[in-house]
Amino acid sequence: MLRIALAGNPNVGKSTLFNNLTGLNQHVGNWPGKTVEKKTGYLNFRENDIEITDLPGTYSLTAGSPEEEVVIDYLLDERPDLIISVVDASNLERNLYLTLQILEFGLNTIIAVNLNRESERKGYRLDEKRLEELLGVPVIKVEAIEGNQDELLEAAIRQVNGNPPQIRYEFLRSDAIEEFRELLEDVEADFPAEWIIIKLLEGDKRVASMVGEDLLKEFERIRRILEEEHSADADILVSDARYGLIEGLLERSLTRPSLDRVTVSELIDRAVLNRYLGLPILLGVMWLIFQLTFTAGAPLTELIDAGVSHLAGAVQGALGDSAAGSLLADGVIGGVGSVLVFTPNIFILFLLLTFLEDSGYLARAAFVMDRVMNSLAGLSGRSFIPMMLGFGCCVPGVMATRTIGSERERILTSLMIPFMSCSARLPVYVLFTSALFPLIYQGWVIFFLYILGIAVAIITARLLGEVVMGEGSLFLMELPPYRLPRPRTLLIHTYHRGIQFIKKAGTIIFAGSVIIWFLSGFPAGNVSSSILGTLGSIMAPLFHPLGFGDWQSAVAILSGFAAKELVISTFGTVHGAANIAASIQGAFTPLEALSFMVFVLLYTPCLATLAVIKEEAGKRWALFSPLYSVFVAWMASFIIYTAGTLLGY
């Protein structure tokens, strides 16, 4: 099997090309010992079995971030048969910097030049054959969003048996370097001597350990000679040499536009990034997402709900009042089915969030929020991206804080993310709003809950900002051009995110539903006198001031500590799949429902999120988070319920 890796800067279309080549035949996990996502896909082309790895997007190979460490480890340890370096045709000067670093490794490489139509509209013209001749590696023009990539794959298969070019920089042709190159012949390494020299000049500790102390001392002497000759630090000499080579390559192969043109992205950004319009536009986009999530999913939700209710009734009718009938109808179908009812809403939410991310707007949202986050919470806009990821699931949101350089900001962001309305909370919102609020207000109620979560998160950062000491960080982010995401890519991303929700329903929620069914049925008799009912009755007084002091709500809150989906699953098990909406209508007023939803929004993160907080922020903050969030949830629900009661609601 041929092993091929895709490498490139962020926003060059690398992952789009990966999805296009592999389709749904891919595996998504994490790199060993890292929280960076690992994607591997498979295909067969012209009787060749190919494994393709989508390496994390990175600007260089200097081990300055988790993503860069992953790429370096892969190139050093895995030694793939071929690297496809994906570059943006209108950003070749920056993108080819990473390509040169890969070529320095001595690995077989081809260059896939993407987004050519977009660059040509800007006035760029690349002679790919000339660039191929100058650099000594195949250069193939591609459009990652298009289906046919035969030319690229054919070039890849040919190049697997080819010889990588030798990258030699002029400043490394000195007598001292040549002398050291001869000494390196005794070092056992699978990499070119040129690469070892370059990495030593850049101060790479891993390579320094490879050459041994004696050679390292000799090299330090040579480094000082080089720096004195060129009046510059060694790492600066290396980067200048790379950019100098790139400039020479492009001068002979690329025609640039004579005048800078105002692009469509720049025109849109004049409104989207406007000092006064940016935030209202962002809020409008968020409102539209939640409105579409609710209204577009309603017909399918009702259809699945009817199917689940019919199935539960049929099982109960076939098996009667037996324990098996109760387990299947109330425990399994009532518990798991009551959560799966909201699968359409979850998929729609993931689809819309993926659209924002792939279109380029998510980076703008972080830029818009930078001023808000800085003035209100003392954080940069970099914290907003993990928060946005938290709308899908808090676990990857907390993992994403690793990209934040400041430890202070990383800890504060980790504590903010659990207040985001993750997809597990969405079924609670949809059930309660559809059962108790008029259609015209349902989208607004959900929008209020999402905004409340963001507000509480910012207040939390403000309050804890004085406790968590440390330096802030400068916020720098590349704003990619706006692109209309390809439907196939959107659907692939949505499928992979949504399928995790379904898998969770088949494992954690299934197990939780069975446990809840068992606790609600023993000892036999009235469910209110069961183990579950007794436990709920003990806890219920704590929630009475909040408007939902019944035992069913108490045990639903308790089960949500494990996973928020179990809140709905508990109601489904206790009331039955066919009766859950009617039971909600009979047990709650709209004010009580709002208070309950606010509590579910703000109280303790699920166990999986707490485990990740422990990894990223430490044990102390993982213990603090649930205690603090329960207190905040109780106070917020109490204020809302008390104020609503005083106002006559």
Side-chain angles (χ1 to χ4, degrees):
M1 178 179 286
L2 299 179
R3 295 183 305 119
I4 296 175
L6 300 182
N9 292 179
N11 304 309
V12 297
K14 175 175 58 64
S15 294
T16 301
L17 181 61
F18 173 78
N19 289 324
N20 198 340
L21 291 170
T22 62
L24 296 178
N25 189 22
Q26 54 182 260
H27 171 74
V28 181
N30 283 343
W31 292 90
K34 306 286 184 183
T35 55
V36 179
E37 190 175 70
K38 178 181 182 180
K39 290 183 180 179
T40 305
Y42 305 90
L43 73 150
N44 183 280
F45 180 77
R46 308 275 166 84
E47 299 183 355
N48 291 282
D49 291 325
I50 302 174
E51 176 191 85
I52 298 182
T53 300
D54 183 14
L55 297 175
T58 179
Y59 293 102
S60 69
L61 299 179
T62 54
S65 71
E67 289 79 9
E68 291 174 354
E69 289 177 5
V70 162
V71 177
I72 293 169
D73 288 344
Y74 179 84
L75 297 179
L76 285 172
D77 302 332
E78 299 295 330
R79 300 288 292 181
D81 298 310
L82 181 77
I83 302 290
I84 297 179
S85 178
V86 185
V87 298
D88 178 352
S90 56
N91 284 301
L92 288 172
E93 183 174 11
R94 184 176 61 206
N95 293 174
L96 286 175
Y97 190 89
L98 177 64
T99 304
L100 288 184
Q101 288 182 302
I102 293 170
L103 289 172
E104 289 162 7
F105 265 94
L107 296 171
N108 275 326
T109 304
I110 66 173
I111 299 173
V113 183
N114 188 31
L115 303 167
N116 295 281
R117 294 190 194 122
E118 188 176 297
S119 77
E120 287 171 5
R121 283 196 296 269
K122 296 177 182 178
Y124 293 91
R125 296 290 184 275
L126 174 68
D127 184 346
E128 73 273 20
K129 296 302 179 185
R130 180 62 174 149
L131 180 60
E132 178 177 316
E133 178 186 328
L134 292 168
L135 196 51
V137 297
V139 178
I140 310 297
K141 284 188 175 181
V142 301
E143 291 296 333
I145 62 173
E146 294 183 353
N148 191 330
Q149 303 296 343
D150 288 2
E151 185 182 359
L152 177 66
L153 291 172
E154 287 169 356
I157 292 170
R158 285 195 304 270
Q159 186 63 15
V160 163
N161 300 315
N163 294 314
Q166 295 291 321
I167 300 295
R168 298 288 294 270
Y169 299 113
E170 192 62 37
F171 83 101
L172 294 180
R173 298 181 186 275
S174 67
D175 293 338
I177 290 292
E178 289 298 333
E179 180 184 336
F180 185 75
R181 188 179 281 109
E182 291 177 7
L183 295 175
L184 286 176
E185 292 178 1
D186 297 327
V187 176
E188 293 185 9
D190 296 329
F191 308 99
E194 196 83 1
W195 176 78
I196 295 176
I197 293 170
I198 288 170
K199 299 311 288 182
L200 289 174
L201 288 172
E202 291 182 321
D204 191 293
K205 294 180 180 178
R206 184 188 319 217
V207 176
S209 66
M210 289 168 51
V211 301
E213 275 190 42
D214 292 339
L215 277 180
L216 198 58
K217 287 179 182 178
E218 175 65 16
F219 186 78
E220 287 302 317
R221 182 185 67 81
I222 295 171
R223 177 209 288 267
R224 287 193 294 271
I225 293 172
L226 270 179
E227 290 179 337
E228 289 172 5
E229 283 181 1
H230 297 275
S231 301
D233 292 339
D235 56 339
I236 300 298
L237 290 175
V238 173
S239 62
D240 284 350
R242 288 178 183 139
Y243 280 120
L245 177 56
I246 291 169
E247 185 178 350
L249 291 170
L250 296 183
E251 191 173 324
R252 288 177 281 178
S253 62
L254 179 69
T255 302
R256 295 180 172 90
S258 54
L259 294 173
D260 289 335
R261 304 179 184 180
V262 178
T263 65
V264 174
S265 291
E266 290 170 339
L267 290 174
I268 297 173
D269 281 343
R270 289 177 184 177
V272 169
L273 302 181
N274 183 274
R275 182 185 184 92
Y276 304 104
L277 296 177
L279 187 57
I281 290 173
L282 174 59
L283 293 175
V285 168
M286 292 178 64
W287 177 86
L288 185 62
I289 286 175
F290 306 134
Q291 189 73 20
L292 286 173
T293 297
F294 186 85
T295 55
L300 282 174
T301 298
E302 292 171 3
L303 186 64
I304 297 173
D305 188 25
V308 170
S309 300
H310 177 76
L311 180 61
V315 170
Q316 192 76 61
L319 299 178
D321 294 330
S322 64
S326 176
L327 171 61
L328 289 174
D330 297 330
V332 177
I333 299 173
V336 177
S338 58
V339 176
L340 288 179
V341 162
F342 302 101
T343 301
N345 304 98
I346 302 297
F347 272 82
I348 291 170
L349 176 64
F350 284 140
L351 177 68
L352 295 173
L353 289 177
T354 302
F355 181 88
L356 284 187
E357 188 176 353
D358 290 356
S359 67
Y361 181 73
L362 189 59
R364 271 80 179 176
F367 181 87
V368 169
M369 288 298 295
D370 181 57
R371 186 181 292 110
V372 177
M373 299 283 286
N374 202 306
S375 58
L376 297 181
L379 300 174
S380 71
R382 192 183 303 278
S383 296
F384 187 68
I385 290 182
M387 290 169 65
M388 284 290 288
L389 293 176
F391 286 140
C393 178
C394 291
V395 172
V398 175
M399 287 180 173
T401 60
R402 280 201 169 186
T403 62
I404 301 174
S406 162
E407 183 181 8
R408 174 182 177 274
E409 291 189 15
R410 191 163 59 250
I411 292 173
L412 289 176
T413 307
S414 296
L415 297 175
M416 294 167 69
I417 289 169
F419 294 116
M420 301 298 101
S421 289
C422 65
S423 59
R425 293 177 171 101
L426 185 61
V428 180
Y429 303 163
V430 174
L431 173 64
F432 276 78
T433 53
S434 60
L436 292 161
F437 291 88
L439 181 62
I440 191 174
Y441 296 123
Q442 291 170 1
W444 284 104
V445 171
I446 295 178
F447 179 63
F448 164 75
L449 292 168
Y450 276 79
I451 295 300
L452 177 64
I454 295 174
V456 170
I458 291 175
I459 293 170
T460 294
R462 188 71 176 180
L463 292 174
L464 299 179
E466 302 300 324
V467 178
V468 183
M469 305 303 291
E471 297 292 327
S473 64
L474 182 65
F475 179 52
L476 296 172
M477 171 172 279
E478 178 186 8
L479 295 181
Y482 289 101
R483 299 187 182 110
L484 187 63
R486 195 161 179 85
R488 185 172 183 267
T489 303
L490 282 178
L491 293 175
I492 289 174
H493 284 168
T494 303
Y495 167 80
H496 282 293
R497 291 177 175 180
I499 205 69
Q500 296 302 316
F501 177 80
I502 295 176
K503 288 179 180 178
K504 199 174 183 181
T507 53
I508 297 174
I509 300 171
F510 174 79
S513 298
V514 172
I515 293 170
I516 292 165
W517 171 85
F518 176 83
L519 294 175
S520 67
F522 294 90
N526 194 315
V527 67
S528 61
S529 60
S530 66
I531 298 173
L532 193 69
T534 303
L535 185 61
S537 298
I538 294 171
M539 295 179 57
L542 296 173
F543 303 108
H544 184 74
L546 312 183
F548 47 92
D550 58 286
W551 69 266
Q552 294 94 333
S553 300
V555 295
I557 291 290
L558 180 63
S559 64
F561 275 82
K564 294 297 179 286
E565 294 93 340
L566 289 175
V567 173
I568 294 298
S569 179
T570 302
F571 280 121
T573 301
V574 172
H575 296 297
N579 305 317
I580 184 170
S583 299
I584 295 295
Q585 291 171 337
F588 291 84
T589 65
L591 177 60
E592 292 165 350
L594 181 61
S595 176
F596 182 82
M597 288 187 288
V598 167
F599 193 90
V600 170
L601 160 67
L602 300 176
Y603 87 118
T604 184
C606 68
L607 293 179
T609 302
L610 287 176
V612 179
I613 291 176
K614 179 185 175 184
E615 287 291 320
E616 303 302 329
K619 184 178 180 180
R620 179 167 63 116
W621 294 111
L623 292 172
F624 171 80
S625 179
L627 297 174
Y628 171 75
S629 59
V630 167
F631 171 75
V632 169
W634 198 96
M635 291 301 300
S637 294
F638 177 75
I639 291 169
I640 286 174
Y641 181 68
T642 303
T645 302
L646 292 175
L647 293 172
Y649 291 105

